[in-house]
Structures are given as C-alpha cells and as structure tokens.
Amino acid sequence: EKQKNFHDLLYSAKDTGFKIDIYGEGSLKQELINLAKNLNIRLKIHNNIENEDLLDVYKNYKYFVSSSNFEGNSKVILEAMANGCIVIAKDIENNREIIKDNYSGLLYTNNLNEVLFKCKKGNYKDADLIQNAKNTINNYYSKDVIFSKYLSDFKEL
C-alpha cells in the first residue's frame, strides 16, 4: 500500500544489484511489478504468510528494509532485529525510538540508495549492527522486560 513507500524502495535499489522480496500482497502489486521491470530490478512479491512463518523468513536475509512513511511501534522491525537482520529504516520518529542509527540499525532520510551502496561495499560493521540490535531487543523489548513494565504499571494503579 502507499504508506509502505515501496516505490521509493524500488527507485533506491536501482543499480545496487539487490534483489527485493516483498511479503504480502496489496493493491499496488502490479504497479510495483511494472516499475521493477522498468528499473531492471529483480522483485518477487510473495503471498501473505502467517506471522509465525514470517519469523523463519527473516533468517534467510541479511538486510530488512522498512521504507514506510509512517509506522507505530513496528513489530516487523523488532522481529527482523531479533532474528539477525540488519534493519535499514526510514528516519521517522517511531523508528528512532527503536533504532540507534549506525549502532543497532541504519536510518535514512532521502539517501536510501547511498545506504544500500554502502551495504554492498561493506562500509558498515555488520556483526556489530546485528549484535547491538539483538541486545536492544533483549534489553528493551523482550517478553520479560515488557512483562516487568506491565506488572510495575499494574502495581502503581
């Protein structure tokens, strides 16, 4: 859908050599397929899958890109981080709450193409990004941490 900003993702991936996989279909499917052809980008749009299956899918990828113009507390970003993906996300308020740029992921404004080329060239410390992302999940978003916060809030009531 428009909010996901996949057009920007495709334009930014041009000439990088990255193949783009999108999971879940929407109303812009054919439009995105046509744009990818015009840009000479390998694009595969997968059918919708169950969330539990998606957790295994993340493990097949090094990078996860969220090009969305708006997100709440993005569950897919959290899941991708927890499953060892380097997350590249649009620099919007909610993503900044989760990702510390160039520490636990990569944030971009209008320079996604540049970030993708840097990834391709190995300009980032991939192992550090992955480990810091996993630590962020464990320290702030794990079930135990969330449960403790809920319990604390409940006791205050």
Side-chain angles (χ1 to χ4, degrees):
E1 299 306 317
K2 222 172 197 74
Q3 170 187 321
K4 298 297 182 184
N5 200 21
F6 289 132
H7 287 80
D8 183 51
L9 173 61
L10 292 176
Y11 279 111
S12 296
K14 183 174 173 38
D15 298 326
T16 64
F18 280 109
K19 177 185 176 219
I20 306 294
D21 286 318
I22 296 174
Y23 285 82
E25 296 183 11
S27 64
L28 301 176
K29 179 180 178 179
Q30 193 55 52
E31 189 176 318
L32 293 173
I33 290 169
N34 294 340
L35 178 59
K37 272 185 195 169
N38 290 339
L39 296 173
N40 198 28
I41 293 171
R42 294 177 297 156
L43 170 68
K44 182 168 184 180
I45 299 179
H46 301 265
N47 294 329
N48 295 331
I49 62 173
E50 296 297 321
N51 184 262
E52 62 194 38
D53 297 328
L54 190 57
L55 296 176
D56 288 328
V57 168
Y58 294 119
K59 296 172 184 169
N60 297 320
Y61 296 93
K62 182 174 184 176
Y63 300 103
F64 174 89
V65 179
S66 174
S67 54
S68 293
N69 288 317
F70 173 80
E71 284 290 338
N73 187 349
S74 179
K75 185 174 162 188
V76 293
I77 287 177
L78 295 170
E79 291 170 345
M81 291 170 69
N83 283 286
C85 294
I86 296 172
V87 172
I88 304 166
K90 191 141 186 161
D91 189 359
I92 57 176
E93 182 179 353
N94 293 44
N95 292 345
R96 282 191 303 271
E97 291 175 4
I98 299 171
I99 297 169
K100 182 177 176 190
D101 189 32
N102 211 8
Y103 176 78
S104 57
L106 303 168
L107 296 173
Y108 73 92
T109 49
N110 296 319
N111 63 332
L112 178 55
N113 181 264
E114 177 185 331
V115 171
L116 293 174
F117 272 113
K118 285 182 177 180
C119 288
K120 203 68 159 175
K121 292 179 183 175
N123 289 10
Y124 299 106
K125 295 180 180 175
D126 294 351
D128 290 346
L129 288 170
I130 292 166
Q131 188 57 56
N132 293 337
K134 286 182 177 183
N135 291 343
T136 296
I137 297 301
N138 289 333
N139 294 335
Y140 300 103
Y141 299 100
S142 70
K143 288 179 186 174
D144 290 339
V145 170
I146 299 299
F147 179 75
S148 281
K149 287 180 184 178
Y150 281 145
L151 186 59
S152 175
D153 289 347
F154 182 74
K155 286 179 181 178
E156 285 184 31
L157 292 174

